[in-house]
Structure formats: C-alpha cells, structure tokens
Amino acid sequence: MPLMEPYRIKVVEPIPITTRPYRELALARAGYNQFNLTAEDVTIDLLSDSGTGALSAEQQAAGIRGDETYAGSRSFFRFRDVVTELTGYEHIYPVHQGRGAERILFSSLLKPGQVCVSNTHFDTTRANVELAHAVALDLPCQESKDLDSDHPFKGDVDLAALRAVLEGPEDVGLVLMTITNNGGGGQPVSMANLEAVAGLARAHGVPFFLDAARFAENAWLVTEREPGYGDQTPREVARRAFALADGCVASLKKDGIVHIGGLLAMRDPELAKRCELLLIATEGFKTYGGLAGRDLDMLAQGLLEVTEPTYLRARASATAYLADLARRGGVDSVRPTGVHAVYLNAGRLLPHLPSESFPGHALALELFLAGGIRCAEVGSLYLGELDEDGRMLKPAPYELVRLAIPRRVYTQSHLEYVGEVIAGIAKDPERVPGYRMVYAPPLLRPFNCTLEPLAQRS
C-alpha cells in the first residue's frame, strides 16, 4: 500500500539538482567531509534529523504569539506547563540545544574521574562528559551486536554489566539512558529495561537521567513491540519513562520538531540550584535559556504534536519503507528498523575496503557523488581509535551509514529516489574507493576532519 503523508504541503522550497562533475568538485573543496558541504551542494539532506524538520501551521501561529519579555515571559510559562505535564519534573530549564543541557548537567553533577554509564553516549554527549573530566562508559546490550537480528529492543543497556560497574570500584556519578539509542543504530529501549536501570541506580544512590531527544519515537516503538503497552498511547508511555528517572537532558530539535531548542529538567532542588547558576552565566536567564519567546511557544506546540499516533505511525512507516527499498536494492541495514534513521551496513556492502580505509565514510560520500544525498558515517571514522597521524589503532565494531530522516520534509518520491541511488551503487560496489585521513582534530573528529580518496579501481 502506498505511503500517505498525514499532512498537506502549503509552502515549498526548491532543492538543488546538480551533476556528478559539480558534486566531485564540491566534495574535493569540502576536504571529503560532508559536514563541509553547503546547502546548495545537496539534493537530499539526510545528514541529521536535528533541527531539520518542517513546522506545522499551529507551530507557526504559536511563534507569532511569542512573548519576548526578557524575564518571566508568557512563552516560558506555556513551555513549562507542557513540559511539566509530560515529564512531571519540578525544575524546568530551556537551553539553546541539547549539548547546552549536557554541558550544564555534567559540569554541575560529575566530578573529575567519575564514570558516566550509558547504553551508548552519542558523540557530543561523550565530548561533554570528557570536557567535565569524567569518563564515558558504554554498556550496550549483547543483542545489539547482531545487526541482523530482529530483537525488538537492541537499545537496552546490559543490566548485568551495569550492576557489575555499580557494585565495583568505579566511582559512578551518573547513569544516562539514551532513548532511542542513536549511536546504537536508532534502536529503542524497553520500559522493562528502564525500570530495571532505575531500580539499580536508586539502590546504589546514583542519579539516573534520560537523554530524551527522541522520547516520542521510543514511546511509539514500545507501544508497537513491548507486551503490555499496546493499549497505551505514546504520550502515556513517555510519561511513564520520564517518571522512572531523576531528570533529563534533551535536544528538542528532534522530538520538539523545531529548529532550535533544548531542555534540562530534574527533581533534585540542590542540583537544580547549581545548574541554574551555570545556565544564567552561559545560556541566558532561567526563563529563556538562550531562546526567543517565539521558539519557546513553537516548542510547546511541537511537544504536543510529536506524540500524536498518526504522525508517529507515518514517520515510522516512511523509515521502514526506505529500509525496504535499500534491502531490495542489495544493501542491508540494521534490523529492526527504528524511526528516525536507516543505518546501512557499509561493511557488508564494501568488503574490499578495510577499516583503515573507512568503508562507512566511503559509502556516505558515494551516495553524495552518485545522487547528491548527504548522510553521516557511524563507523571507524566516528568510533575508531586513531593515532596522532590518523592511522587506525582500533576499528569500530561495525561500519554503518546513517540516513537520518527529517520530520515532515520529504515525501515518498524523495525516498524512492534515495532507494534508486542506493541500488545503483550496489550494482558495482567495488568501484567505491576508500579514504585516507589527512587531518583529525583531537575532539569530535567527524565534524572537522579532512580526508583524501585512495586509488580507485579502473
């Protein structure tokens, strides 16, 4: 059955249609790093689902009502009321985006040398833990290591490993669960796992927070996959997840469906006081946190819309459709498909490229060269350990390419175009060259590194 987007298009924006010679020059100018491409270079942009969604008519209307009073604006109280209803947390702080919330929380909570345990830290989350002079430790569940299995909750944390760490000699300062698990293939976390994590953290006196950037998508997958939740709404499941934790950080550029904005929320009044001081010093006053009043109002409306079952069903169906197109075209992806992205198995498609040639990055760049599609690597460029000269010391456990789907932006025909480009590459994958690192910064390597192609088969 054809997909039907549950909305009408009222405003359109032209997208660039380019030639391969143009794209080859653009990629060379960008140092073979897709983050350095410009919007004019890209036909279909699947680099990120963060801040790239389309606003609804109701969000636009809410923005017009925005109150730009410096302190205590009406927009803040509308935002606060929606967040409080959703999360149940008493202390609510808007920030400019998720990494602002991470920096404030980790700087206020973690001591140097302490461990922050997660199912998987995303790259900016890990960076903010390390900037607080703490240690980021990932404990993904064993099922996540099988990319082809249809285990429904491969985003879960390994409970036995978490228990061992909490009972061991490490000084654990925080347990942080990412829902959905973006760094682990966009896989959801079960409510059973969250409940067990909450119990372990509470028993050991360790704060338990959610990285809740995609809380609604995680809740949708719980209603679809976890026994006992099929008769609950996504919003009811989300409320229950928030109730298990002591607080959350969130980039609301994802499930807030806005272009800018984030959230820091918690129960502990003493921690809130420490965070509030740092927020005022670095983000803005506590009732705006670096955001305009119109942003706060659009966020409040987005947080209401994002848990609508019709919207979530259509979004999940579109992502599954793209994954199916890729598989029919000869390219496997992480199973089962999540909601916000399709993770292509580049290592399987490009076995002629060793990890030191960055096969995930190679496939991502080939998608751009072949069809103007920009996307992100999740493999050895992102997760591998390199020496100071850019040589591989330890590869990533997998070589993936993330096709992140912006919210309410692309139609079925756009996805079919992406599927055709993927299938075209799969017809002769050995033509895809590997790449060599030219420059690698010491932190957040994928954003600023430069590379060059290796010799290509004629």
PDB file of all heavy atoms in Angstrom, residues 62-78 287-288 291-297:
ATOM      1  N   ALA A  62       1.795  29.706  16.820  1.00  0.00           N
ATOM      2  CA  ALA A  62       2.284  29.859  18.188  1.00  0.00           C
ATOM      3  C   ALA A  62       3.482  30.793  18.225  1.00  0.00           C
ATOM      4  O   ALA A  62       3.636  31.596  19.164  1.00  0.00           O
ATOM      5  CB  ALA A  62       2.652  28.496  18.756  1.00  0.00           C
ATOM      6  N   GLY A  63       4.349  30.694  17.207  1.00  0.00           N
ATOM      7  CA  GLY A  63       5.510  31.573  17.161  1.00  0.00           C
ATOM      8  C   GLY A  63       5.127  33.037  17.073  1.00  0.00           C
ATOM      9  O   GLY A  63       5.793  33.899  17.668  1.00  0.00           O
ATOM     10  N   ILE A  64       4.070  33.326  16.353  1.00  0.00           N
ATOM     11  CA  ILE A  64       3.623  34.719  16.236  1.00  0.00           C
ATOM     12  C   ILE A  64       3.167  35.249  17.592  1.00  0.00           C
ATOM     13  O   ILE A  64       3.304  36.431  17.900  1.00  0.00           O
ATOM     14  CB  ILE A  64       2.506  34.825  15.185  1.00  0.00           C
ATOM     15  CG1 ILE A  64       3.084  34.508  13.796  1.00  0.00           C
ATOM     16  CG2 ILE A  64       1.863  36.205  15.196  1.00  0.00           C
ATOM     17  CD1 ILE A  64       2.041  34.414  12.707  1.00  0.00           C
ATOM     18  N   ARG A  65       2.641  34.357  18.429  1.00  0.00           N
ATOM     19  CA  ARG A  65       2.190  34.775  19.761  1.00  0.00           C
ATOM     20  C   ARG A  65       3.338  34.892  20.765  1.00  0.00           C
ATOM     21  O   ARG A  65       3.118  35.230  21.926  1.00  0.00           O
ATOM     22  CB  ARG A  65       1.156  33.776  20.287  1.00  0.00           C
ATOM     23  CG  ARG A  65      -0.152  33.747  19.516  1.00  0.00           C
ATOM     24  CD  ARG A  65      -1.227  32.970  20.280  1.00  0.00           C
ATOM     25  NE  ARG A  65      -0.872  31.557  20.395  1.00  0.00           N
ATOM     26  CZ  ARG A  65      -1.219  30.616  19.524  1.00  0.00           C
ATOM     27  NH1 ARG A  65      -1.929  30.949  18.449  1.00  0.00           N
ATOM     28  NH2 ARG A  65      -0.882  29.351  19.705  1.00  0.00           N
ATOM     29  N   GLY A  66       4.551  34.593  20.343  1.00  0.00           N
ATOM     30  CA  GLY A  66       5.685  34.595  21.262  1.00  0.00           C
ATOM     31  C   GLY A  66       5.853  35.912  22.011  1.00  0.00           C
ATOM     32  O   GLY A  66       5.724  36.992  21.434  1.00  0.00           O
ATOM     33  N   ASP A  67       6.147  35.798  23.288  1.00  0.00           N
ATOM     34  CA  ASP A  67       6.352  36.961  24.154  1.00  0.00           C
ATOM     35  C   ASP A  67       7.847  37.125  24.381  1.00  0.00           C
ATOM     36  O   ASP A  67       8.489  36.242  24.952  1.00  0.00           O
ATOM     37  CB  ASP A  67       5.614  36.751  25.482  1.00  0.00           C
ATOM     38  CG  ASP A  67       5.890  37.843  26.494  1.00  0.00           C
ATOM     39  OD1 ASP A  67       6.398  38.919  26.100  1.00  0.00           O
ATOM     40  OD2 ASP A  67       5.620  37.620  27.693  1.00  0.00           O
ATOM     41  N   GLU A  68       8.412  38.245  23.942  1.00  0.00           N
ATOM     42  CA  GLU A  68       9.856  38.444  24.026  1.00  0.00           C
ATOM     43  C   GLU A  68      10.294  39.202  25.280  1.00  0.00           C
ATOM     44  O   GLU A  68      11.382  39.776  25.327  1.00  0.00           O
ATOM     45  CB  GLU A  68      10.357  39.159  22.765  1.00  0.00           C
ATOM     46  CG  GLU A  68       9.966  38.479  21.460  1.00  0.00           C
ATOM     47  CD  GLU A  68      10.413  37.025  21.374  1.00  0.00           C
ATOM     48  OE1 GLU A  68      11.384  36.660  22.057  1.00  0.00           O
ATOM     49  OE2 GLU A  68       9.784  36.245  20.632  1.00  0.00           O
ATOM     50  N   THR A  69       9.478  39.197  26.316  1.00  0.00           N
ATOM     51  CA  THR A  69       9.896  39.763  27.600  1.00  0.00           C
ATOM     52  C   THR A  69      11.153  39.046  28.082  1.00  0.00           C
ATOM     53  O   THR A  69      11.248  37.825  28.010  1.00  0.00           O
ATOM     54  CB  THR A  69       8.768  39.591  28.638  1.00  0.00           C
ATOM     55  OG1 THR A  69       7.597  40.238  28.146  1.00  0.00           O
ATOM     56  CG2 THR A  69       9.163  40.177  29.980  1.00  0.00           C
ATOM     57  N   TYR A  70      12.132  39.805  28.586  1.00  0.00           N
ATOM     58  CA  TYR A  70      13.416  39.210  28.941  1.00  0.00           C
ATOM     59  C   TYR A  70      13.280  38.160  30.035  1.00  0.00           C
ATOM     60  O   TYR A  70      13.833  37.062  29.933  1.00  0.00           O
ATOM     61  CB  TYR A  70      14.405  40.293  29.391  1.00  0.00           C
ATOM     62  CG  TYR A  70      15.762  39.726  29.752  1.00  0.00           C
ATOM     63  CD1 TYR A  70      16.740  39.556  28.778  1.00  0.00           C
ATOM     64  CD2 TYR A  70      16.068  39.345  31.055  1.00  0.00           C
ATOM     65  CE1 TYR A  70      17.976  39.012  29.088  1.00  0.00           C
ATOM     66  CE2 TYR A  70      17.293  38.799  31.383  1.00  0.00           C
ATOM     67  CZ  TYR A  70      18.246  38.642  30.392  1.00  0.00           C
ATOM     68  OH  TYR A  70      19.469  38.104  30.711  1.00  0.00           O
ATOM     69  N   ALA A  71      12.583  38.487  31.113  1.00  0.00           N
ATOM     70  CA  ALA A  71      12.448  37.560  32.241  1.00  0.00           C
ATOM     71  C   ALA A  71      10.976  37.312  32.519  1.00  0.00           C
ATOM     72  O   ALA A  71      10.173  38.242  32.559  1.00  0.00           O
ATOM     73  CB  ALA A  71      13.127  38.123  33.492  1.00  0.00           C
ATOM     74  N   GLY A  72      10.617  36.029  32.693  1.00  0.00           N
ATOM     75  CA  GLY A  72       9.251  35.677  33.055  1.00  0.00           C
ATOM     76  C   GLY A  72       8.248  35.854  31.933  1.00  0.00           C
ATOM     77  O   GLY A  72       7.093  36.214  32.185  1.00  0.00           O
ATOM     78  N   SER A  73       8.655  35.579  30.706  1.00  0.00           N
ATOM     79  CA  SER A  73       7.746  35.768  29.575  1.00  0.00           C
ATOM     80  C   SER A  73       6.606  34.754  29.614  1.00  0.00           C
ATOM     81  O   SER A  73       6.737  33.656  30.168  1.00  0.00           O
ATOM     82  CB  SER A  73       8.498  35.634  28.252  1.00  0.00           C
ATOM     83  OG  SER A  73       8.814  34.277  27.997  1.00  0.00           O
ATOM     84  N   ARG A  74       5.492  35.122  29.000  1.00  0.00           N
ATOM     85  CA  ARG A  74       4.366  34.206  28.900  1.00  0.00           C
ATOM     86  C   ARG A  74       4.761  32.940  28.135  1.00  0.00           C
ATOM     87  O   ARG A  74       4.270  31.846  28.433  1.00  0.00           O
ATOM     88  CB  ARG A  74       3.187  34.900  28.205  1.00  0.00           C
ATOM     89  CG  ARG A  74       2.566  36.033  28.998  1.00  0.00           C
ATOM     90  CD  ARG A  74       1.335  36.596  28.300  1.00  0.00           C
ATOM     91  NE  ARG A  74       1.649  37.145  26.982  1.00  0.00           N
ATOM     92  CZ  ARG A  74       2.078  38.390  26.774  1.00  0.00           C
ATOM     93  NH1 ARG A  74       2.252  39.215  27.814  1.00  0.00           N
ATOM     94  NH2 ARG A  74       2.334  38.815  25.556  1.00  0.00           N
ATOM     95  N   SER A  75       5.644  33.090  27.171  1.00  0.00           N
ATOM     96  CA  SER A  75       6.081  31.941  26.371  1.00  0.00           C
ATOM     97  C   SER A  75       6.766  30.898  27.237  1.00  0.00           C
ATOM     98  O   SER A  75       6.567  29.686  27.039  1.00  0.00           O
ATOM     99  CB  SER A  75       7.028  32.402  25.259  1.00  0.00           C
ATOM    100  OG  SER A  75       6.379  33.274  24.372  1.00  0.00           O
ATOM    101  N   PHE A  76       7.569  31.333  28.196  1.00  0.00           N
ATOM    102  CA  PHE A  76       8.230  30.372  29.071  1.00  0.00           C
ATOM    103  C   PHE A  76       7.212  29.575  29.864  1.00  0.00           C
ATOM    104  O   PHE A  76       7.336  28.356  30.001  1.00  0.00           O
ATOM    105  CB  PHE A  76       9.190  31.052  30.049  1.00  0.00           C
ATOM    106  CG  PHE A  76       9.627  30.136  31.167  1.00  0.00           C
ATOM    107  CD1 PHE A  76      10.544  29.116  30.933  1.00  0.00           C
ATOM    108  CD2 PHE A  76       9.082  30.243  32.439  1.00  0.00           C
ATOM    109  CE1 PHE A  76      10.915  28.237  31.944  1.00  0.00           C
ATOM    110  CE2 PHE A  76       9.452  29.376  33.453  1.00  0.00           C
ATOM    111  CZ  PHE A  76      10.380  28.372  33.202  1.00  0.00           C
ATOM    112  N   PHE A  77       6.202  30.224  30.401  1.00  0.00           N
ATOM    113  CA  PHE A  77       5.238  29.512  31.239  1.00  0.00           C
ATOM    114  C   PHE A  77       4.394  28.541  30.419  1.00  0.00           C
ATOM    115  O   PHE A  77       4.022  27.472  30.911  1.00  0.00           O
ATOM    116  CB  PHE A  77       4.372  30.511  32.011  1.00  0.00           C
ATOM    117  CG  PHE A  77       5.160  31.242  33.069  1.00  0.00           C
ATOM    118  CD1 PHE A  77       5.508  32.573  32.899  1.00  0.00           C
ATOM    119  CD2 PHE A  77       5.599  30.586  34.212  1.00  0.00           C
ATOM    120  CE1 PHE A  77       6.260  33.238  33.855  1.00  0.00           C
ATOM    121  CE2 PHE A  77       6.350  31.249  35.171  1.00  0.00           C
ATOM    122  CZ  PHE A  77       6.689  32.575  34.996  1.00  0.00           C
ATOM    123  N   ARG A  78       4.116  28.882  29.152  1.00  0.00           N
ATOM    124  CA  ARG A  78       3.434  27.915  28.288  1.00  0.00           C
ATOM    125  C   ARG A  78       4.334  26.700  28.050  1.00  0.00           C
ATOM    126  O   ARG A  78       3.882  25.553  28.115  1.00  0.00           O
ATOM    127  CB  ARG A  78       3.032  28.587  26.973  1.00  0.00           C
ATOM    128  CG  ARG A  78       1.821  29.501  27.101  1.00  0.00           C
ATOM    129  CD  ARG A  78       1.273  29.912  25.740  1.00  0.00           C
ATOM    130  NE  ARG A  78       2.095  30.942  25.105  1.00  0.00           N
ATOM    131  CZ  ARG A  78       1.846  32.248  25.166  1.00  0.00           C
ATOM    132  NH1 ARG A  78       0.809  32.689  25.858  1.00  0.00           N
ATOM    133  NH2 ARG A  78       2.613  33.112  24.535  1.00  0.00           N
ATOM    134  N   THR A 287      14.415  31.733  32.456  1.00  0.00           N
ATOM    135  CA  THR A 287      13.129  31.606  31.778  1.00  0.00           C
ATOM    136  C   THR A 287      13.244  31.746  30.263  1.00  0.00           C
ATOM    137  O   THR A 287      12.213  31.779  29.571  1.00  0.00           O
ATOM    138  CB  THR A 287      12.112  32.629  32.309  1.00  0.00           C
ATOM    139  OG1 THR A 287      12.621  33.947  32.110  1.00  0.00           O
ATOM    140  CG2 THR A 287      11.814  32.389  33.775  1.00  0.00           C
ATOM    141  N   TYR A 288      14.478  31.838  29.742  1.00  0.00           N
ATOM    142  CA  TYR A 288      14.573  31.787  28.276  1.00  0.00           C
ATOM    143  C   TYR A 288      15.755  30.956  27.786  1.00  0.00           C
ATOM    144  O   TYR A 288      15.717  30.415  26.683  1.00  0.00           O
ATOM    145  CB  TYR A 288      14.580  33.187  27.654  1.00  0.00           C
ATOM    146  CG  TYR A 288      15.887  33.942  27.739  1.00  0.00           C
ATOM    147  CD1 TYR A 288      16.843  33.836  26.727  1.00  0.00           C
ATOM    148  CD2 TYR A 288      16.170  34.798  28.798  1.00  0.00           C
ATOM    149  CE1 TYR A 288      18.026  34.548  26.775  1.00  0.00           C
ATOM    150  CE2 TYR A 288      17.344  35.517  28.860  1.00  0.00           C
ATOM    151  CZ  TYR A 288      18.283  35.398  27.850  1.00  0.00           C
ATOM    152  OH  TYR A 288      19.449  36.102  27.905  1.00  0.00           O
ATOM    153  N   LEU A 291      16.883  31.154  24.192  1.00  0.00           N
ATOM    154  CA  LEU A 291      15.849  31.051  23.165  1.00  0.00           C
ATOM    155  C   LEU A 291      14.967  32.297  23.137  1.00  0.00           C
ATOM    156  O   LEU A 291      14.736  32.933  24.166  1.00  0.00           O
ATOM    157  CB  LEU A 291      14.965  29.835  23.424  1.00  0.00           C
ATOM    158  CG  LEU A 291      15.643  28.470  23.374  1.00  0.00           C
ATOM    159  CD1 LEU A 291      14.647  27.386  23.772  1.00  0.00           C
ATOM    160  CD2 LEU A 291      16.212  28.189  21.999  1.00  0.00           C
ATOM    161  N   ALA A 292      14.474  32.611  21.957  1.00  0.00           N
ATOM    162  CA  ALA A 292      13.466  33.657  21.837  1.00  0.00           C
ATOM    163  C   ALA A 292      12.125  33.127  22.330  1.00  0.00           C
ATOM    164  O   ALA A 292      11.883  31.916  22.356  1.00  0.00           O
ATOM    165  CB  ALA A 292      13.351  34.109  20.380  1.00  0.00           C
ATOM    166  N   GLY A 293      11.236  34.041  22.703  1.00  0.00           N
ATOM    167  CA  GLY A 293       9.918  33.639  23.150  1.00  0.00           C
ATOM    168  C   GLY A 293       9.176  32.845  22.081  1.00  0.00           C
ATOM    169  O   GLY A 293       8.473  31.871  22.384  1.00  0.00           O
ATOM    170  N   ARG A 294       9.328  33.236  20.825  1.00  0.00           N
ATOM    171  CA  ARG A 294       8.641  32.504  19.750  1.00  0.00           C
ATOM    172  C   ARG A 294       9.134  31.064  19.670  1.00  0.00           C
ATOM    173  O   ARG A 294       8.356  30.145  19.375  1.00  0.00           O
ATOM    174  CB  ARG A 294       8.832  33.220  18.414  1.00  0.00           C
ATOM    175  CG  ARG A 294      10.284  33.367  17.973  1.00  0.00           C
ATOM    176  CD  ARG A 294      10.369  34.099  16.638  1.00  0.00           C
ATOM    177  NE  ARG A 294      11.745  34.375  16.269  1.00  0.00           N
ATOM    178  CZ  ARG A 294      12.425  35.453  16.637  1.00  0.00           C
ATOM    179  NH1 ARG A 294      11.831  36.366  17.400  1.00  0.00           N
ATOM    180  NH2 ARG A 294      13.672  35.644  16.266  1.00  0.00           N
ATOM    181  N   ASP A 295      10.441  30.847  19.943  1.00  0.00           N
ATOM    182  CA  ASP A 295      10.966  29.478  19.945  1.00  0.00           C
ATOM    183  C   ASP A 295      10.321  28.655  21.049  1.00  0.00           C
ATOM    184  O   ASP A 295       9.986  27.480  20.853  1.00  0.00           O
ATOM    185  CB  ASP A 295      12.485  29.488  20.132  1.00  0.00           C
ATOM    186  CG  ASP A 295      13.219  30.184  19.003  1.00  0.00           C
ATOM    187  OD1 ASP A 295      12.801  30.014  17.846  1.00  0.00           O
ATOM    188  OD2 ASP A 295      14.207  30.899  19.278  1.00  0.00           O
ATOM    189  N   LEU A 296      10.170  29.234  22.225  1.00  0.00           N
ATOM    190  CA  LEU A 296       9.561  28.519  23.343  1.00  0.00           C
ATOM    191  C   LEU A 296       8.116  28.150  23.032  1.00  0.00           C
ATOM    192  O   LEU A 296       7.661  27.044  23.355  1.00  0.00           O
ATOM    193  CB  LEU A 296       9.633  29.371  24.608  1.00  0.00           C
ATOM    194  CG  LEU A 296      11.036  29.546  25.206  1.00  0.00           C
ATOM    195  CD1 LEU A 296      11.029  30.643  26.263  1.00  0.00           C
ATOM    196  CD2 LEU A 296      11.525  28.241  25.811  1.00  0.00           C
ATOM    197  N   ASP A 297       7.383  29.051  22.393  1.00  0.00           N
ATOM    198  CA  ASP A 297       5.996  28.753  22.049  1.00  0.00           C
ATOM    199  C   ASP A 297       5.909  27.669  20.978  1.00  0.00           C
ATOM    200  O   ASP A 297       5.045  26.782  21.052  1.00  0.00           O
ATOM    201  CB  ASP A 297       5.291  30.030  21.575  1.00  0.00           C
ATOM    202  CG  ASP A 297       4.527  30.711  22.699  1.00  0.00           C
ATOM    203  OD1 ASP A 297       3.645  30.056  23.276  1.00  0.00           O
ATOM    204  OD2 ASP A 297       4.815  31.871  23.010  1.00  0.00           O
TER     205      ASP A 297
END
